[in-house]
Amino acid sequence: MNIYEFNVKNIKGEDISLQDYQGKVLLIVNTATACGFTPQYNDLENLYKKYQEKGLIILGFPCNQFGQQAPGTDYEISDFCSLNFGISFPQFSKIDVNGETAHPLFQYLQSEKSFAGFDAEHKLTPILEDILSKEDPNFTEKSSIKWNFTKFLVDRNGKVLQRFEPTTDISKIDEIIKSVL
């Protein structure tokens, strides 16, 4: 199995094959519009503009599983992203990333790269750890997505290279993307 075997729905509900992105470097992100990490849309758009011509594609998948922080329809979310952050990278239909209803793409991504740990220096790390440990004291041992803006880097051959938790500094992600491109 590889990344190119999956189909996803765009915001119009049309099936899109990830095969369409073969030969590109992908950064696949579960997003949200009402989250403490929502300002990362700016960082993602800047990365996209910086590296798009070198072959980077960012794929954004809204997910409402974490604190109901992606309310609204696909169109409302897309409009929010365009109006507030000027998002030009591909946006897809809202999905689940965990549990029985998790999209197969995100099940696969989690099977390829487990939880990478939160950045101890990030101001939201203690809050996330508190929330997650109350739900499951062993949350660090599971590969599930922990929160919005978890990112997976996929190389030009479809191999999942790395997982970045939402607390990972964008400059670190930038350096790794640059080395893969």
Side-chain angles (χ1 to χ4, degrees):
M1 177 168 275
N2 70 50
I3 200 85
Y4 303 123
E5 295 178 30
F6 295 98
N7 290 323
V8 293
K9 291 196 181 295
N10 66 15
I11 59 166
K12 297 177 184 175
E14 301 165 331
D15 282 326
I16 304 294
S17 170
L18 290 186
Q19 182 74 37
D20 295 349
Y21 300 108
Q22 191 163 7
K24 302 289 186 182
V25 172
L26 304 177
L27 189 65
I28 301 172
V29 187
N30 68 302
T31 61
T33 54
C35 171
F37 294 107
T38 298
Q40 286 188 18
Y41 272 122
N42 281 324
D43 297 329
L44 293 170
E45 181 62 18
N46 289 337
L47 279 176
Y48 185 60
K49 287 178 180 174
K50 183 175 181 179
Y51 295 121
Q52 179 184 11
E53 289 183 13
K54 294 180 180 180
L56 175 69
I57 304 288
I58 296 176
L59 307 178
F61 291 88
C63 177
N64 201 35
Q65 286 187 295
F66 305 100
Q68 306 299 303
Q69 294 178 343
T73 66
D74 291 342
Y75 287 109
E76 289 168 338
I77 291 169
S78 177
D79 285 347
F80 172 88
C81 292
S82 295
L83 293 171
N84 292 290
F85 298 99
I87 297 302
S88 60
F89 57 81
Q91 301 265 341
F92 294 88
S93 187
K94 191 188 304 187
I95 61 166
D96 286 344
V97 297
N98 287 333
E100 292 178 13
T101 57
H103 192 283
L105 169 62
F106 277 83
Q107 291 175 359
Y108 173 74
L109 292 169
Q110 292 173 54
S111 74
E112 292 294 300
K113 294 294 174 189
S114 281
F115 178 57
F118 295 125
D119 178 352
E121 302 296 315
H122 196 281
K123 66 182 179 181
L124 294 178
T125 292
I127 296 167
L128 288 172
E129 288 176 341
D130 183 55
I131 292 168
L132 295 168
S133 65
K134 285 178 182 171
E135 291 177 17
D136 180 1
N138 299 316
F139 78 92
T140 60
E141 299 167 19
K142 298 179 178 135
S143 66
S144 61
I145 306 291
K146 306 305 179 213
W147 209 257
N148 304 306
F149 290 91
T150 298
K151 302 156 196 75
F152 293 88
L153 183 62
V154 179
D155 73 10
R156 294 180 190 272
N157 298 312
K159 181 178 185 215
V160 182
L161 296 178
Q162 196 158 348
R163 173 174 167 165
F164 303 103
E165 301 306 329
T167 57
T168 303
D169 189 274
I170 201 70
S171 63
K172 177 181 178 183
I173 298 170
D174 185 318
E175 287 300 313
I176 294 170
I177 287 172
K178 187 171 23 176
S179 73
V180 173
L181 289 169

